[in-house]
Amino acid sequence: MAIEVRIPTILRSYTGGAKVVEGAGDTLADLLNDLDSRHGGLRGRLITEAGTLHRFVNVYVNDEDVRFLGALDAKLSDGDSVTILPAVAGGAFGFAAAAAISSHSAAAAAISSPAVAMARDAVAVR
């Protein structure tokens, strides 16, 4: 089963710079586990310690928001297209989302240190 997954710029350090990767799985959870086996660390940027999607990550299956399809239990089929989009808004929480996604990537180095400190403080408040 081949599923096309579109990767946002901020997560491409996990895919070797690839904009699109292929994965397999009957559900979104299975797909993310498969992707993590091929692109280590990717799943950790998308899933909380409690095992749910981070609220600042939007995932779409064939342009449908997975939150309306069962979240991680969303069923997938061969040929489906999955798009991962970070939900980044303006203000401190926008920085928080960006910093949380990129905290272990090279992208974090591009953010100035006051912005990173502000973002980490905003994440800690949540």
Side-chain angles (χ1 to χ4, degrees):
M1 174 189 306
I3 298 168
E4 178 183 87
V5 182
R6 293 184 190 109
I7 306 295
T9 304
I10 199 161
L11 295 176
R12 290 182 190 159
S13 61
Y14 294 96
T15 62
K19 295 177 183 182
V20 177
V21 296
E22 283 195 1
D26 293 328
T27 65
L28 181 59
D30 294 339
L31 174 66
L32 294 179
N33 287 332
D34 179 61
L35 289 177
D36 199 59
S37 72
R38 301 170 195 229
H39 310 285
L42 184 60
R43 184 181 183 280
R45 303 282 47 112
L46 305 173
I47 306 295
T48 66
E49 290 181 14
T52 61
L53 282 171
H54 279 291
R55 66 182 183 187
F56 56 81
V57 174
N58 295 316
V59 180
Y60 299 89
V61 175
N62 302 324
D63 299 324
E64 294 287 328
D65 190 330
V66 297
R67 288 177 176 87
F68 302 108
L69 300 174
L72 292 174
D73 294 328
K75 300 293 183 201
L76 301 176
S77 301
D78 189 31
D80 279 347
S81 176
V82 174
T83 302
I84 301 169
L85 291 174
V88 179
F93 291 116
F95 284 116
I101 290 175
S102 64
S103 64
H104 291 89
S105 71
I111 300 173
S112 66
S113 35
V116 170
M118 182 175 67
R120 288 192 182 134
D121 291 343
V123 168
V125 170
R126 290 182 156 180

